[in-house]
Amino acid sequence: MNLHKGLTLAAVTLSASLFLVIPKPATVKASSYWNTEHWVTIRKTITVSKIKPGHPTYKGGKVLATYKILPGTHYKLGHPGSDYAWTLNSGKYKSSSKGVYSVTKHGANWYQKGKKPLYKTFHGYRIEAYKGMKKFNTTYSKKTHSTASYLKPTQKKRVIFKYGSHVIPTKHEWDVVSSKKITAYKYSHKQWHNLGTKD
């Protein structure tokens, strides 16, 4: 055997040895998390359709009704591996033999696992935790540079600021708006003062 043939044989033998000892990637098992339903918090507006049961669910055929669900609500969510559909099964949207509530339209990151708080603390008040909740009763007007609400600034347990508000309430006038009049309040010396009412 000449030198060239010897080197070639050695290279082939080494390659075969390396192939045999390199471990193969482990087979990735499908997540079993969605084998059961879980409570989630809706983060973005979604569309839910009540569909006549079929196989698979998202191709079940006849849509019996369609609903919009806003952010900041809690529902039990299922994700059956057999048909890849997202289904709700709690409260008003409880799936049964009469209809399956399937999430038919949603954006990215539209839910969060678990029942998360719907409001955050905001300078002694509360503020919506998710955009689009439409639960607020108080907001800041850039046009008038004042807070507008139908609640008094002293009603802290009831006041809910709109998502995205960032101004400090005590730094601006607070207008309590009703159908016929506006009552203005101003914060000074650690308390709110009534500035009067106008039509």
Side-chain angles (χ1 to χ4, degrees):
M1 180 185 296
N2 59 35
L3 180 60
H4 176 72
K5 289 184 178 180
L7 290 175
T8 300
L9 179 61
V12 172
T13 304
L14 179 60
S15 299
S17 300
L18 289 173
F19 178 78
L20 291 174
V21 299
I22 295 175
K24 295 181 179 180
T27 303
V28 179
K29 294 183 179 180
S31 173
S32 61
Y33 181 80
W34 290 108
N35 285 349
T36 58
E37 297 169 339
H38 298 275
W39 284 100
V40 300
T41 302
I42 304 301
R43 300 183 59 196
K44 296 182 179 180
T45 301
I46 62 175
T47 299
V48 174
S49 298
K50 183 179 181 180
I51 300 175
K52 186 176 181 180
H55 302 284
T57 303
Y58 71 96
K59 291 183 179 178
K62 186 176 180 180
V63 175
L64 305 175
T66 301
Y67 309 88
K68 290 283 186 182
I69 295 182
L70 299 177
T73 49
H74 300 136
Y75 290 101
K76 188 171 284 188
L77 182 68
H79 190 41
S82 59
D83 56 19
Y84 308 103
W86 293 102
T87 57
L88 299 184
N89 195 21
S90 61
K92 177 181 177 181
Y93 307 104
K94 192 171 181 66
S95 298
S96 66
S97 58
K98 295 181 179 180
V100 175
Y101 292 95
S102 179
V103 181
T104 50
K105 186 177 181 180
H106 60 80
N109 301 318
W110 59 278
Y111 74 88
Q112 191 171 4
K113 294 179 181 178
K115 290 185 176 182
K116 304 301 180 182
L118 305 184
Y119 307 102
K120 297 180 180 180
T121 57
F122 183 72
H123 303 292
Y125 299 95
R126 291 183 297 166
I127 187 172
E128 295 174 324
Y130 302 96
K131 184 178 181 180
M133 286 179 60
K134 297 184 180 180
K135 297 290 186 181
F136 68 91
N137 51 37
T138 305
T139 186
Y140 175 76
S141 172
K142 292 182 180 180
K143 184 177 180 180
T144 61
H145 300 287
S146 63
T147 299
S149 179
Y150 66 83
L151 297 169
K152 297 179 181 179
T154 53
Q155 296 177 283
K156 290 189 173 183
K157 291 184 178 181
R158 296 181 60 192
V159 170
I160 302 172
F161 275 86
K162 184 179 181 180
Y163 175 89
S165 297
H166 61 277
V167 298
I168 301 175
T170 54
K171 300 293 184 181
H172 301 271
E173 182 179 302
W174 186 298
D175 293 333
V176 178
V177 183
S178 67
S179 59
K180 296 182 179 180
K181 59 184 180 180
I182 298 176
T183 302
Y185 290 82
K186 186 176 182 179
Y187 189 84
S188 64
H189 304 291
K190 298 183 179 181
Q191 61 180 339
W192 288 96
H193 301 274
N194 189 323
L195 300 180
T197 301
K198 60 182 179 180
D199 296 330

